[in-house]
Amino acid sequence: SAGTGKTYTTVLKMKKEIKDNKTYKTLAAITFTRKAAEEIKERIGIVNNEEFIGTNDSFVLIEIIQPFIYDVYGKEYKIEIKPSYNTEDVIQNFSDGILKIKTSGLLCKYEDNRKNFPFELAIEILKNSKSCKRYLKSKYSRIYIDEYQDCDYDMHKLFMYICDELKIELFIVGDMKQS
């Protein structure tokens, strides 16, 4: 439940894992807000900058979409991609989203907020890019996800693919009472 120390306990586990790590692999700490990500960074203290600590959206953009979209969709996608927060930059379907990236470099959201284009795109890239799979498998030993009850279907699908197919361990924290 709220206030029981879920994030505190998770941060202690991450600190211990970072301290005890004797391999080249690292961890990712993912949450829903920049404020929560900054709080996790502060609680962990100085890290070696190999860990990823950030939001769900920034994880898929930085670790999957930006570096590997061209591997699946071609050289014309080797561009800087930025998320669009403009409510007028919504898309209707997946192919509209791919075209929007190609023509404007913007990663947009669906008009239907029950669907999540960035996560649909990330799983499509992950399934079709051997380089992306190798990268994530070689970089991460574990991914920590805070506030998991806030994940939508597409987020859950991506994280389960990472766990089941790439065999990267997940440590998820959530509150069933808030889901």
Side-chain angles (χ1 to χ4, degrees):
S1 298
T4 59
K6 294 182 302 292
T7 303
Y8 173 78
T9 303
T10 303
V11 167
L12 289 179
K13 187 169 176 55
M14 284 187 273
K15 285 171 87 169
K16 181 172 177 15
E17 184 174 339
I18 292 167
K19 180 180 167 246
D20 294 347
N21 185 19
K22 305 284 188 249
T23 72
Y24 60 90
K25 289 189 175 187
T26 189
L27 60 86
I30 300 172
T31 190
F32 276 81
T33 65
R34 283 182 241 141
K35 181 181 177 191
E38 289 304 316
E39 183 180 323
I40 290 171
K41 284 179 188 177
E42 286 175 24
R43 288 183 181 190
I44 288 176
I46 297 173
V47 293
N48 62 21
N49 290 329
E50 292 176 17
E51 294 85 12
F52 176 91
I53 302 173
T55 65
N56 289 296
D57 290 334
S58 62
F59 179 79
V60 295
L61 179 60
I62 294 167
E63 294 293 277
I64 298 172
I65 297 170
Q66 184 66 63
F68 298 104
I69 190 171
Y70 74 91
D71 197 27
V72 175
Y73 293 98
K75 291 179 193 171
E76 60 269 20
Y77 288 89
K78 205 167 193 174
I79 57 174
E80 183 181 1
I81 300 169
K82 295 181 180 180
S84 174
Y85 302 108
N86 187 341
T87 55
E88 294 173 14
D89 283 333
V90 295
I91 52 172
Q92 300 300 314
N93 57 51
F94 190 84
S95 57
D96 287 348
I98 297 297
L99 183 61
K100 190 76 166 178
I101 292 170
K102 183 178 179 179
T103 58
S104 66
L106 294 176
L107 182 64
C108 298
K109 304 273 184 186
Y110 283 124
E111 185 174 44
D112 179 354
N113 63 8
R114 292 171 293 174
K115 295 169 37 181
N116 191 328
F117 176 68
F119 279 80
E120 283 184 9
L121 177 58
I123 198 162
E124 195 64 28
I125 291 169
L126 193 51
K127 285 181 175 179
N128 293 294
S129 171
K130 290 179 183 174
S131 298
C132 185
K133 289 177 192 173
R134 281 194 305 265
Y135 169 75
L136 291 177
K137 284 169 66 171
S138 68
K139 183 172 182 180
Y140 295 111
S141 59
R142 183 170 292 127
I143 297 176
Y144 291 82
I145 307 169
D146 197 17
E147 304 294 344
Y148 200 79
Q149 78 275 358
D150 294 333
C151 281
D152 63 29
Y153 174 75
D154 294 310
M155 291 174 177
H156 176 70
K157 194 169 146 184
L158 175 75
F159 292 132
M160 290 301 99
Y161 184 87
I162 289 171
C163 180
D164 295 340
E165 300 298 323
L166 302 185
K167 306 297 183 208
I168 298 172
E169 291 182 23
L170 296 183
F171 185 89
I172 61 173
V173 178
D175 184 349
M176 287 180 58
K177 294 176 184 175
Q178 294 177 329
S179 65

